[in-house]
Amino acid sequence: MKPAPPIESGEFTLMRGDVLHKGRYRLIEEVVLPKNQQGIAWSATDTRSARNRVLLYRMAFPDKTEAEAWQAIKAIVLRLTQLSQYPCFPTVVEVFNEYKSYYIVLLYPTGESLASLMQRQGGAIPERDVAEYGRQVCQMLEVFASQRPPVIHGAISPETVIVNPSTHQVSLIYIPLFPLKPLTKDSISSGYTAPEQVRGDIKPSSDLYSLAATLHHAVTGFDPRERLIHFYPPARRLNPVVTLGMEAALSKGLRLSVPQRYATPSDMLQDLRNLIASYPPVSELPQLNRPFPPEGKPSPRGRRRNIIFTVVGICAALALLFTILLPILNNANQAAQRKSTQQTAWRDEMALEQQTFTKQGIGISDGRFVFDTYPGRSDVALKQQAAQALQHNDLANAINFFSQAVSADPTDGEVQIYNENLHVLQSNSPYVTIVLGIAFDESADDLLRARPDTQGAFIAQYEINKNGLLGHGLKLRILLDSCGAHRADVATVAQFVANRVSKAGNPDHIVSVEGWPFSSQTINALDIITSAHLPIVSPASSVKLSGSSPYFFRIDPPDDIEGNLLAKTAAQQLHAKTILVSRDSTDPYSVSLADAFSASATKLGIQVINSPGDYFKESTSTVTDFQKVITDAQTHEANLIFIAGYSIDGIRLAHALGNAIRIAPNNTVLANLNILGGDGVDTNLVIGQGNGPDAQIATEFPQDMRHLIFTAYCAPDEWDLQGIPKKEQPAFFSDWNNFYSSSGVANNNAPPPGNDSMLATDAIQVIARAISLIHGEVTGQATRDALASLGKGTTPAFQGVSGRILFDNRGNPIDKAMVVLQVASSNNRNAIQLQHVIGTFR
């Protein structure tokens, strides 16, 4: 293709009616290109063609030589020619230059825009047609994706989708000839623009979002430009005749988070093909009913008689109606008074919660407050901006900031939950809420529980909403209820939950609580939560909680079961003869576990020595304090130390033992001394992950940590150890990897899931399973009854990622699987390794 010689007569302005290229093309009107595209375009008539309408792109290259400009033109034409080999893409007619400008001429597609078609039909168009239009555009996007580099249209909307009315063939107009420009603030008003495109991140996912937005408009008649940006109610709510399949496809395509949408055009195309295949043949569609033919006219006398009877009947009906309506009106008045009282209580509650959060940093949040602002988070400022927007009911900015926060730190479970909550509100779907009791504070040990808890809870929320696991057409919201550093404050934040339910009319539709991490917290919260007839599903293990309330269920075995397992491990695997037991007499978990372990060990013939109580105070005893425990163990010639504490305590005790070994390197008794702990020791802090001095100890003295052996309620390796193929393992593990372990953000990938995250997801999932079993209204009481029914009669037990779950009449799981773990060297660094599994796993 050789260009015609340029005409050197200078620049000129094109006007309607001008002719170009020796009179061949007469300009009709200038075309308004999408705001992210470069260049100028005109529609024109081609006097040499029977199909005489064309689209002219005018391009100038003032900074290039003629040869460079021509090379750029050839590259554009080559790409357009390759695309034109596929159906629905425009054909290149010719290229010419004139008056120092270059022109590419394309055939204008036959038909009218989808926007024009919708306007002519008065709103929504039939779903069958919309699905077919979407299928064809998806095929075009498949072609775009196959190009190198991929082509991004960047402006799919009803105006750019052209429909041929006779063939129903669809085309996209305005294929971009140059790389797309970032959108400015003035050009973001279009509701068809994807969230990441608004932020200047232009990628193929943007076209899939824009297509879903276009189809949503077409099938509902709901114009997104007249509402908040990125707000798309469920299609069936706007147009009841829309099918569930179409609503599901649009809901997935319009999620704010890119990883939660269709990954490729092929994925969306397959769903649309399946949807089209599900429609009945046109020949089987029911015919419209015709009106009954008019009957003969009644006589005038008959009309008068009918009028009299009608008046008498109306009077009698009005008297009867008044008698019936009087009590109804009274009830309505009482209901209105109750609603007014509840609204007042809600305003008072919101003010109290705001005041408490401002003063103490604790409270209950759907995103209005931010708890995780501690070291390791890179999205704090964005989360706080989103929270402020929510407090001012600025949903659009809240969505924008939360989306940015997810992109900045995908491993932040807190922001993932808040972002998903906004998805639920945006969808306008009915929902229920589970409250997640948590403890965010500066303690490294607490953070290494709270963060995995929120990560696991989000995975559950995502899977539940994605797969519709609640039933009843419900979605799931999660509220975070953080008590902060002081465990006594759990009563305050638990009262917020009870107030919302009992006083304010439960506007959040709260049906259950999951939490808190520690037994002392759960004990303080239990009576408050259950007073509102809400079930609480907890990872707390103290035996004091067994049978404490018909509304209490635990996701893991109680301490007496764990203590028995630990004693067997001490006797059978570690061959202990004398054990020094260290407990914190002020902590219910520590006392409960130590007592259970001591009783079981004594029955097995092991000598149990109780360390003095002042040697160990949970989370406060120092390495120096623990030197007394090591001395005590030597004095009694113990060959095992049992500590009923947490990971911080395990680290400090192990380091004290390491120091003693370094002082007496030839002491074989010290060298062979191990430390046995319960599930409280199981966090990644023991292998140096996290922040603070204890993580530093574990990092700098890895050999000390290898004396630690402990139990946990689950481990991800359980499934492999049971010989279960990866493809049969729960989606939890692949979802964890997709969201956290391969987040795509440099130096910000989460380790594999552990005990806390797996239990958190199981607690949320088992509540969801219970909700799905409810027949009738979903309430806290109904959820409690459904939880109690699992594994009884014809209701199967729940299979969680941590093992099989069903409850006895004391709220304890029956024969729940547990694991024994050990810190060991792996590839020149410490890792927590699974030793064995006991109990019923599947």
Side-chain angles (χ1 to χ4, degrees):
M1 180 164 39
K2 184 178 181 180
I7 300 174
E8 299 291 345
S9 58
E11 296 292 337
F12 75 103
T13 302
L14 294 176
M15 299 182 64
R16 184 173 182 176
D18 285 349
V19 293
L20 294 174
H21 202 33
K22 299 178 181 180
R24 176 170 181 176
Y25 303 111
R26 182 176 296 276
L27 303 184
I28 301 174
E29 60 182 351
E30 185 175 355
V31 171
V32 179
L33 290 174
K35 294 180 179 180
N36 58 2
Q37 290 192 15
Q38 305 177 54
I40 299 172
W42 282 78
S43 64
T45 56
D46 181 359
T47 59
R48 298 183 190 174
S49 172
R51 182 184 174 186
N52 64 353
R53 193 175 182 195
V54 294
L55 187 65
L56 273 75
Y57 281 90
R58 179 187 179 189
M59 292 164 288
F61 300 93
D63 299 329
K64 295 181 182 293
T65 65
E66 182 180 344
E68 290 171 339
W70 187 240
Q71 286 297 321
I73 290 288
K74 284 200 296 185
I76 294 171
V77 172
L78 177 61
R79 170 165 284 199
L80 290 173
T81 303
Q82 291 172 339
L83 291 174
S84 68
Q85 297 173 12
Y86 299 93
C88 304
F89 285 95
T91 300
V92 179
V93 178
E94 69 170 334
V95 180
F96 64 94
N97 55 359
E98 193 166 301
Y99 298 106
K100 295 185 178 180
S101 292
Y102 294 83
Y103 296 87
I104 295 179
V105 185
L106 304 175
L107 281 181
Y108 203 99
T110 301
E112 64 179 319
S113 70
L114 183 57
S116 173
L117 181 62
M118 291 162 58
Q119 184 177 11
R120 186 160 50 79
Q121 296 197 8
I125 58 180
E127 178 183 325
R128 185 187 295 264
D129 293 342
V130 174
E132 175 57 27
Y133 302 156
R135 181 191 68 80
Q136 292 186 48
V137 176
C138 261
Q139 287 181 321
M140 297 183 73
L141 296 183
E142 272 194 317
V143 175
F144 279 167
S146 69
Q147 303 299 301
R148 292 295 176 267
V151 176
I152 303 171
H153 188 282
I156 296 175
S157 71
E159 284 75 20
T160 59
V161 175
I162 306 298
V163 180
N164 186 323
S166 59
T167 65
H168 286 278
Q169 189 176 53
V170 170
S171 304
L172 276 177
I173 199 169
Y174 312 141
I175 306 297
L177 307 186
F178 299 96
L180 299 177
K181 299 184 297 184
L183 291 170
T184 64
K185 290 184 179 180
D186 297 333
S187 58
I188 295 175
S189 60
S190 170
Y192 310 102
T193 307
E196 66 274 10
Q197 193 174 354
V198 169
R199 300 191 296 270
D201 187 8
I202 303 172
K203 55 179 63 174
S205 63
S206 308
D207 282 346
L208 288 174
Y209 181 96
S210 298
L211 172 59
T214 299
L215 300 183
H216 186 280
H217 186 178
V219 82
T220 65
F222 176 93
D223 190 338
R225 294 166 296 188
E226 298 175 0
R227 302 291 190 274
L228 283 173
I229 187 171
H230 303 143
F231 176 66
Y232 282 88
R236 287 165 58 82
R237 186 176 296 275
L238 301 172
N239 184 357
V241 301
V242 173
T243 64
L244 287 170
M246 174 62 84
E247 182 178 76
L250 296 179
S251 176
K252 183 172 182 178
L254 289 168
R255 283 186 172 271
L256 298 180
S257 175
V258 175
Q260 296 177 15
R261 291 189 224 139
Y262 288 105
T264 65
S266 300
D267 294 337
M268 187 174 184
L269 177 62
Q270 187 58 52
D271 276 4
L272 290 173
R273 282 173 173 162
N274 293 340
L275 181 63
I276 292 169
S278 71
Y279 297 142
V282 177
S283 59
E284 296 180 9
L285 294 178
Q287 299 295 316
L288 293 177
N289 293 325
R290 296 181 179 177
F292 290 105
E295 296 187 12
K297 296 181 179 180
S299 65
R301 180 181 297 178
R303 285 202 300 271
R304 287 194 297 271
R305 185 168 60 247
N306 288 344
I307 291 171
I308 294 171
F309 288 159
T310 299
V311 171
V312 172
I314 289 173
C315 292
L318 287 174
L320 178 61
L321 185 61
F322 180 78
T323 304
I324 295 172
L325 285 181
L326 184 60
I328 295 176
L329 291 172
N330 288 334
N331 290 339
N333 184 52
Q334 293 172 4
Q337 291 177 349
R338 281 197 304 272
K339 185 175 181 180
S340 177
T341 301
Q342 289 170 351
Q343 288 174 340
T344 301
W346 176 252
R347 288 193 296 270
D348 292 344
E349 180 65 23
M350 291 296 98
L352 176 62
E353 291 178 15
Q354 177 71 63
Q355 182 182 28
T356 305
F357 177 77
T358 302
K359 288 183 177 180
Q360 300 174 252
I362 63 175
I364 184 170
S365 177
D366 62 350
R368 297 171 192 273
F369 307 136
V370 175
F371 299 123
D372 189 1
T373 59
Y374 299 100
R377 289 276 79 100
S378 58
D379 60 347
V380 173
L382 290 167
K383 287 197 296 185
Q384 290 173 333
Q385 287 175 291
Q388 291 171 3
L390 268 186
Q391 289 173 20
H392 292 92
N393 295 319
D394 184 356
L395 184 63
N397 272 319
I399 289 171
N400 185 30
F401 286 127
F402 275 136
S403 297
Q404 291 182 56
V406 168
S407 298
D409 190 353
T411 64
D412 186 347
E414 180 185 29
V415 75
Q416 292 277 16
I417 288 172
Y418 295 157
N419 193 43
E420 180 69 12
N421 285 343
L422 285 184
H423 279 308
V424 172
L425 293 181
Q426 182 193 35
S427 72
N428 212 21
S429 300
Y431 61 82
V432 294
T433 299
I434 296 173
V435 176
L436 176 62
I438 207 84
F440 272 114
D441 62 75
E442 61 186 359
S443 163
D445 190 49
D446 286 348
L447 279 181
L448 282 175
R449 296 182 191 280
R451 285 174 173 171
D453 279 352
T454 55
Q455 288 173 323
F458 167 69
I459 294 293
Q461 183 186 24
Y462 166 74
E463 292 178 351
I464 288 164
N465 288 338
K466 174 187 175 183
N467 300 314
L469 299 182
L470 289 176
H472 315 282
L474 294 172
K475 298 290 186 182
L476 175 64
R477 290 172 73 237
I478 293 178
L479 302 183
L480 300 190
D481 199 20
S482 176
C483 63
H486 304 291
R487 295 179 185 177
D489 285 338
V490 74
T492 300
V493 297
Q495 192 64 56
F496 291 156
V497 179
N499 289 348
R500 289 189 177 204
V501 174
S502 301
K503 293 183 179 180
N506 200 9
D508 300 298
H509 311 294
I510 297 171
V511 296
S512 186
V513 173
E514 193 270 294
W516 273 254
F518 300 108
S519 295
S520 58
Q521 296 167 333
T522 304
I523 289 170
N524 289 342
L526 182 62
D527 289 343
I528 299 170
I529 296 298
T530 59
S531 69
H533 299 284
L534 295 174
I536 180 168
V537 179
S538 174
S541 58
S542 172
V543 293
K544 288 185 177 181
L545 289 164
S546 296
S548 57
S549 167
Y551 291 87
F552 174 76
F553 302 86
R554 69 167 112 233
I555 206 72
D556 49 274
D559 290 337
D560 51 355
I561 301 297
E562 184 179 9
N564 184 53
L565 166 62
L566 285 161
K568 288 182 179 179
T569 300
Q572 298 170 6
Q573 271 75 47
L574 304 178
H575 309 292
K577 302 299 181 183
T578 302
I579 302 176
L580 182 73
V581 175
S582 190
R583 61 165 62 74
D584 179 355
S585 59
T586 66
D587 181 63
Y589 162 75
S590 183
V591 173
S592 176
L593 184 61
D595 288 351
F597 172 81
S598 298
S600 296
T602 301
K603 289 180 182 179
L604 293 171
I606 298 173
Q607 183 182 7
V608 174
I609 308 296
N610 290 309
S611 182
D614 59 346
Y615 286 6
F616 170 40
K617 295 299 180 185
E618 180 263 321
S619 297
T620 60
S621 292
T622 65
V623 174
T624 302
D625 294 332
F626 280 121
Q627 293 293 158
K628 301 174 184 178
V629 176
I630 301 300
T631 301
D632 206 21
Q634 286 182 284
T635 301
H636 292 91
E637 298 182 349
N639 49 12
L640 183 68
I641 299 174
F642 177 78
I643 184 167
Y646 299 100
S647 54
I648 286 176
D649 309 311
I651 289 171
R652 295 173 185 176
L653 178 57
H655 187 41
L657 175 58
N659 288 339
I661 293 172
R662 282 182 283 277
I663 293 172
N666 296 322
N667 189 323
T668 56
V669 174
L670 286 175
N672 294 322
L673 188 60
N674 283 318
I675 299 167
L676 183 64
D679 63 287
V681 179
D682 178 36
T683 74
N684 286 327
L685 198 66
V686 299
I687 57 174
Q689 294 180 5
N691 301 291
D694 298 291
Q696 186 175 357
I697 290 172
T699 300
E700 294 181 359
F701 298 93
Q703 69 278 18
D704 295 355
M705 302 304 110
R706 294 170 198 153
H707 292 277
L708 289 173
I709 302 167
F710 44 90
T711 53
Y713 300 119
C714 54
D717 297 341
E718 282 178 287
W719 292 83
D720 294 329
L721 195 66
Q722 301 287 328
I724 301 167
K726 293 289 187 185
K727 62 182 180 179
E728 296 179 20
Q729 296 181 18
F732 169 84
F733 298 108
S734 59
D735 286 335
W736 181 278
N737 182 66
N738 292 336
F739 279 104
Y740 306 133
S741 297
S742 56
S743 66
V745 178
N747 302 316
N748 192 14
N749 290 320
N755 180 80
D756 295 296
S757 54
M758 292 172 67
L759 289 180
T761 203
D762 272 357
I764 300 292
Q765 289 277 19
V766 78
I767 296 169
R769 172 61 60 83
I771 291 171
S772 72
L773 299 173
I774 294 172
H775 300 287
E777 185 181 2
V778 178
T779 63
Q781 181 66 50
T783 304
R784 179 266 158 208
D785 295 342
L787 282 167
S789 74
L790 292 172
K792 297 178 178 62
T794 59
T795 304
F798 175 73
Q799 178 61 51
V801 294
S802 66
R804 186 196 68 172
I805 300 173
L806 67 162
F807 305 102
D808 63 18
N809 57 10
R810 293 166 59 88
N812 295 326
I814 298 173
D815 194 29
K816 177 79 184 297
M818 293 188 65
V819 297
V820 177
L821 306 168
Q822 183 169 10
V823 177
S825 178
S826 175
N827 297 321
N828 297 319
R829 59 187 303 176
N830 278 357
I832 298 175
Q833 294 186 351
L834 175 63
Q835 301 300 307
H836 60 271
V837 180
I838 66 165
T840 303
F841 183 68
R842 296 184 86 188

